[in-house]
Amino acid sequence: MEPVRTVHGRAYPWGAKNIDTDVIIPAHWLKTTTRKGLGKGAFETVRAEPGNLFDDPRYAGSPLLIAGENFGCGSSREHAAWALADMGITAVIAPSYSDIFSGNAFKNGIVAVVLPQEAIDRLVEVAKTDEVTIDLETMTVTTPFQDRFTFEMDPFRRDCLMQGLDEIGLTLARDTAISKFESDAVESRPWITVGSGHEGFAVEGAGRT
């Protein structure tokens, strides 16, 4: 997972409320066995409408999406986060998210910023013409017009995003401690060593007098 410290660029000025995961990525796309290509199916029903903003060349490749409250509600499909990432979205700004989507976004390196509706309304207007910046270091969202909105985020999630650590990365970061624990365990409890041929006997006899 790539580290994310700042996200800067044009944003899709959507602002729509209660967007569920079936809108983000329709169910028939869930048959795929790879994450690649899911961006083509992202917001498929919205893209079917003429003049939709997701196919507007002004926002092509935008790394940010500005949405309304309760974004990512509905089913728990992780494909929703995969689809956003595959279409190049690195961050979403909304007043609220479903808990499952928020967790899936974090695990896939997508920054989910929570701001009040007043800030969302302002950012939707700004994004129609100018760029928006999210800074995880200062925990702010800013615009070229001196708008500055502060947000909060779970410190653990923020640290993982900034270091680019997913669950596998977190485990690998503790490789030294894990290896030491395993070697100490073998020395202090040799009967747990796999492949000795006497595991069953040793465990059965352990603790007997």
Side-chain angles (χ1 to χ4, degrees):
M1 195 166 77
E2 292 296 320
V4 181
R5 295 183 177 275
T6 61
V7 184
H8 173 78
R10 294 299 297 271
Y12 294 102
W14 202 17
K17 300 179 180 180
N18 300 312
I19 298 302
D20 62 33
T21 50
D22 195 53
V23 173
I24 299 173
I25 185 72
H28 65 86
W29 283 87
L30 308 189
K31 300 174 183 178
T32 180
T33 57
T34 177
R35 305 182 188 190
K36 293 182 178 180
L38 284 175
K40 296 178 182 178
F43 305 109
E44 186 176 66
T45 55
V46 179
R47 283 174 155 165
E49 302 173 4
N52 73 87
L53 67 83
F54 291 108
D55 290 325
D56 188 324
R58 292 177 298 173
Y59 309 113
S62 294
L64 297 102
L65 170 65
I66 302 172
E69 64 184 7
N70 199 28
F71 185 78
C73 57
S75 71
S76 60
R77 66 190 68 167
E78 191 173 9
H79 295 67
W82 295 351
L84 292 177
D86 194 60
M87 69 180 290
I89 292 177
T90 309
V92 180
I93 306 174
S96 61
Y97 304 85
S98 76
D99 287 341
I100 293 177
F101 173 81
S102 180
N104 286 337
F106 157 66
K107 291 178 182 179
N108 287 277
I110 297 175
V111 180
V113 172
V114 175
L115 288 178
Q117 187 61 51
E118 294 79 6
I120 296 298
D121 294 340
R122 170 58 179 165
L123 290 172
V124 166
E125 289 304 311
V126 171
K128 292 176 181 178
T129 56
D130 291 89
E131 298 179 335
V132 175
T133 300
I134 297 173
D135 190 327
L136 284 179
E137 190 71 45
T138 60
M139 302 284 278
T140 59
V141 176
T142 57
T143 75
F145 303 102
Q146 306 306 311
D147 297 295
R148 184 182 180 87
F149 305 106
T150 59
F151 62 90
E152 296 182 356
M153 181 178 290
D154 176 82
F156 172 75
R157 289 189 174 186
R158 174 174 174 261
D159 186 57
C160 287
L161 287 167
M162 294 180 70
Q163 294 190 58
L165 294 174
D166 56 13
E167 292 173 331
I168 295 176
L170 285 168
T171 302
L172 292 176
R174 295 179 176 272
D175 178 61
T176 300
I178 293 172
S179 297
K180 184 177 186 303
F181 173 82
E182 291 177 339
S183 62
D184 289 347
V186 170
E187 291 182 10
S188 61
R189 293 172 290 169
W191 59 85
I192 68 172
T193 304
V194 177
S196 66
H198 301 287
E199 299 88 356
F201 175 79
V203 172
E204 288 182 56
R208 292 183 181 177
T209 57

